[in-house]
Amino acid sequence: GWKADSRENFETALHESRRVAIAVMGGNSVTGQIGMGMPAVRRRRGPVAQQFVDRNRQIDDGLMSVDFVLGRSASPKESVAFSLHILLMFATPDCIFLELSRPTFAQEGKLVGWSERVLLAPLELGGGVTPIDPEDDGDEPPFSVRAK
């Protein structure tokens, strides 16, 4: 099953038997949309995120076996022995755009390249979310929730 994990301030949900990790991050304005360019995370990430990205790229390049990814062989570094997927989200006043994507490239600490993108249906809001300034590099997602 799934369990919460936090290593060096990088929070994920891990599925042990499937060797999958999912993290939630704010994305840019093309998150969850097709034909508008590649999404990117809103803020820089640290060395653990880079290790996950490197691991994803090794898997894609065939430098790491499927047996390793599925946990059939020993892990040299348990903290990054999982394939990472990111639940990216971007809020507007009317909806939240979402996608579950697998990062394979980081530039200056920002995740900007993806080997898989699964676009999810936008969540219609009806006025329950107020967007926050997109230039804010804070740790919080780019929206606030309030009662109607």
Short mmCIF file of all heavy atoms in Angstrom, two decimals, residues 73-97:
data_model
loop_
_atom_site.label_atom_id
_atom_site.label_comp_id
_atom_site.label_asym_id
_atom_site.label_seq_id
_atom_site.Cartn_x
_atom_site.Cartn_y
_atom_site.Cartn_z
N SER A 73 15.53 -6.44 -7.10
CA SER A 73 16.96 -6.49 -6.77
C SER A 73 17.24 -5.44 -5.71
O SER A 73 16.44 -4.53 -5.49
CB SER A 73 17.81 -6.24 -8.02
OG SER A 73 17.53 -4.99 -8.57
N ALA A 74 18.35 -5.55 -5.05
CA ALA A 74 18.67 -4.65 -3.94
C ALA A 74 18.87 -3.22 -4.41
O ALA A 74 19.38 -2.97 -5.50
CB ALA A 74 19.92 -5.14 -3.23
N SER A 75 18.49 -2.29 -3.57
CA SER A 75 18.61 -0.88 -3.88
C SER A 75 19.91 -0.31 -3.32
O SER A 75 20.15 -0.41 -2.12
CB SER A 75 17.43 -0.12 -3.27
OG SER A 75 17.70 1.25 -3.23
N PRO A 76 20.76 0.33 -4.16
CA PRO A 76 21.96 0.94 -3.61
C PRO A 76 21.67 2.21 -2.81
O PRO A 76 22.41 2.56 -1.92
CB PRO A 76 22.78 1.26 -4.86
CG PRO A 76 21.80 1.38 -5.95
CD PRO A 76 20.67 0.45 -5.60
N LYS A 77 20.59 2.90 -3.15
CA LYS A 77 20.21 4.12 -2.43
C LYS A 77 18.71 4.08 -2.22
O LYS A 77 17.94 4.42 -3.10
CB LYS A 77 20.57 5.36 -3.24
CG LYS A 77 21.99 5.80 -3.12
CD LYS A 77 22.12 7.14 -3.76
CE LYS A 77 23.12 7.96 -2.99
NZ LYS A 77 23.22 9.30 -3.47
N GLU A 78 18.28 3.67 -1.06
CA GLU A 78 16.85 3.48 -0.80
C GLU A 78 16.04 4.75 -1.02
O GLU A 78 14.91 4.70 -1.45
CB GLU A 78 16.65 2.97 0.63
CG GLU A 78 15.22 2.56 0.93
CD GLU A 78 14.70 1.44 0.04
OE1 GLU A 78 15.48 0.58 -0.38
OE2 GLU A 78 13.49 1.45 -0.24
N SER A 79 16.64 5.92 -0.77
CA SER A 79 15.88 7.17 -0.88
C SER A 79 15.43 7.47 -2.30
O SER A 79 14.49 8.22 -2.51
CB SER A 79 16.69 8.34 -0.34
OG SER A 79 17.80 8.58 -1.14
N VAL A 80 16.08 6.89 -3.30
CA VAL A 80 15.68 7.17 -4.68
C VAL A 80 15.46 5.88 -5.46
O VAL A 80 15.63 5.84 -6.66
CB VAL A 80 16.70 8.09 -5.41
CG1 VAL A 80 16.67 9.47 -4.82
CG2 VAL A 80 18.08 7.49 -5.38
N ALA A 81 15.09 4.82 -4.77
CA ALA A 81 14.87 3.53 -5.44
C ALA A 81 13.49 3.44 -6.06
O ALA A 81 13.05 2.37 -6.42
CB ALA A 81 15.08 2.40 -4.45
N PHE A 82 12.80 4.54 -6.19
CA PHE A 82 11.45 4.57 -6.72
C PHE A 82 11.40 5.43 -7.98
O PHE A 82 12.15 6.38 -8.12
CB PHE A 82 10.48 5.18 -5.69
CG PHE A 82 10.31 4.34 -4.46
CD1 PHE A 82 11.25 4.36 -3.45
CD2 PHE A 82 9.21 3.52 -4.33
CE1 PHE A 82 11.09 3.57 -2.32
CE2 PHE A 82 9.04 2.74 -3.21
CZ PHE A 82 9.98 2.76 -2.20
N SER A 83 10.50 5.10 -8.87
CA SER A 83 10.22 5.95 -10.03
C SER A 83 9.32 7.08 -9.55
O SER A 83 8.29 6.83 -8.92
CB SER A 83 9.52 5.11 -11.11
OG SER A 83 9.14 5.93 -12.19
N LEU A 84 9.70 8.32 -9.81
CA LEU A 84 8.97 9.48 -9.30
C LEU A 84 7.96 9.99 -10.32
O LEU A 84 8.27 10.14 -11.51
CB LEU A 84 9.94 10.61 -8.96
CG LEU A 84 9.30 11.93 -8.49
CD1 LEU A 84 8.63 11.75 -7.13
CD2 LEU A 84 10.33 13.03 -8.44
N HIS A 85 6.75 10.28 -9.84
CA HIS A 85 5.73 10.98 -10.61
C HIS A 85 5.32 12.20 -9.80
O HIS A 85 5.34 12.17 -8.57
CB HIS A 85 4.51 10.09 -10.85
CG HIS A 85 4.79 8.98 -11.80
ND1 HIS A 85 5.53 7.88 -11.45
CD2 HIS A 85 4.44 8.80 -13.08
CE1 HIS A 85 5.62 7.06 -12.49
NE2 HIS A 85 4.97 7.60 -13.49
N ILE A 86 4.97 13.27 -10.50
CA ILE A 86 4.58 14.53 -9.83
C ILE A 86 3.12 14.82 -10.15
O ILE A 86 2.72 14.82 -11.33
CB ILE A 86 5.43 15.72 -10.33
CG1 ILE A 86 6.93 15.43 -10.20
CG2 ILE A 86 5.04 17.00 -9.62
CD1 ILE A 86 7.43 15.33 -8.79
N LEU A 87 2.32 15.07 -9.12
CA LEU A 87 0.97 15.60 -9.33
C LEU A 87 1.13 17.11 -9.40
O LEU A 87 1.35 17.76 -8.38
CB LEU A 87 0.02 15.19 -8.22
CG LEU A 87 -1.40 15.74 -8.35
CD1 LEU A 87 -2.06 15.25 -9.64
CD2 LEU A 87 -2.23 15.38 -7.14
N LEU A 88 1.12 17.65 -10.62
CA LEU A 88 1.26 19.09 -10.83
C LEU A 88 -0.11 19.74 -10.81
O LEU A 88 -1.08 19.17 -11.34
CB LEU A 88 1.89 19.37 -12.20
CG LEU A 88 3.39 19.21 -12.34
CD1 LEU A 88 3.80 19.35 -13.79
CD2 LEU A 88 4.12 20.22 -11.50
N MET A 89 -0.19 20.94 -10.25
CA MET A 89 -1.47 21.66 -10.24
C MET A 89 -1.23 23.14 -10.47
O MET A 89 -0.20 23.70 -10.09
CB MET A 89 -2.19 21.43 -8.93
CG MET A 89 -1.43 21.83 -7.71
SD MET A 89 -2.34 21.35 -6.25
CE MET A 89 -1.05 21.52 -5.05
N PHE A 90 -2.22 23.74 -11.16
CA PHE A 90 -2.19 25.17 -11.41
C PHE A 90 -3.62 25.68 -11.26
O PHE A 90 -4.54 25.16 -11.89
CB PHE A 90 -1.67 25.49 -12.81
CG PHE A 90 -1.68 26.96 -13.13
CD1 PHE A 90 -0.69 27.79 -12.63
CD2 PHE A 90 -2.69 27.51 -13.90
CE1 PHE A 90 -0.70 29.15 -12.89
CE2 PHE A 90 -2.71 28.88 -14.17
CZ PHE A 90 -1.72 29.69 -13.67
N ALA A 91 -3.81 26.71 -10.42
CA ALA A 91 -5.16 27.22 -10.13
C ALA A 91 -5.43 28.52 -10.85
O ALA A 91 -4.55 29.39 -10.96
CB ALA A 91 -5.32 27.42 -8.63
N THR A 92 -6.65 28.65 -11.36
CA THR A 92 -7.18 29.90 -11.86
C THR A 92 -8.40 30.22 -10.99
O THR A 92 -8.80 29.39 -10.16
CB THR A 92 -7.61 29.77 -13.34
OG1 THR A 92 -8.75 28.90 -13.42
CG2 THR A 92 -6.48 29.25 -14.21
N PRO A 93 -9.03 31.38 -11.16
CA PRO A 93 -10.22 31.65 -10.34
C PRO A 93 -11.36 30.65 -10.56
O PRO A 93 -12.19 30.47 -9.68
CB PRO A 93 -10.64 33.05 -10.78
CG PRO A 93 -9.37 33.68 -11.26
CD PRO A 93 -8.61 32.57 -11.91
N ASP A 94 -11.38 29.99 -11.72
CA ASP A 94 -12.49 29.10 -12.04
C ASP A 94 -12.22 27.62 -11.88
O ASP A 94 -13.14 26.82 -11.73
CB ASP A 94 -12.95 29.35 -13.49
CG ASP A 94 -13.38 30.79 -13.70
OD1 ASP A 94 -14.08 31.33 -12.83
OD2 ASP A 94 -12.99 31.37 -14.72
N CYS A 95 -10.95 27.21 -11.97
CA CYS A 95 -10.66 25.77 -11.88
C CYS A 95 -9.21 25.52 -11.51
O CYS A 95 -8.38 26.42 -11.53
CB CYS A 95 -11.02 25.07 -13.19
SG CYS A 95 -10.01 25.54 -14.58
N ILE A 96 -8.94 24.26 -11.20
CA ILE A 96 -7.58 23.80 -10.94
C ILE A 96 -7.22 22.82 -12.05
O ILE A 96 -7.94 21.84 -12.29
CB ILE A 96 -7.45 23.10 -9.57
CG1 ILE A 96 -7.82 24.07 -8.45
CG2 ILE A 96 -6.04 22.57 -9.37
CD1 ILE A 96 -7.82 23.44 -7.07
N PHE A 97 -6.13 23.10 -12.76
CA PHE A 97 -5.63 22.21 -13.80
C PHE A 97 -4.65 21.24 -13.15
O PHE A 97 -3.81 21.65 -12.34
CB PHE A 97 -4.93 23.00 -14.91
CG PHE A 97 -5.89 23.85 -15.70
CD1 PHE A 97 -6.09 25.18 -15.38
CD2 PHE A 97 -6.59 23.30 -16.77
CE1 PHE A 97 -6.97 25.96 -16.10
CE2 PHE A 97 -7.48 24.07 -17.49
CZ PHE A 97 -7.67 25.41 -17.17
#
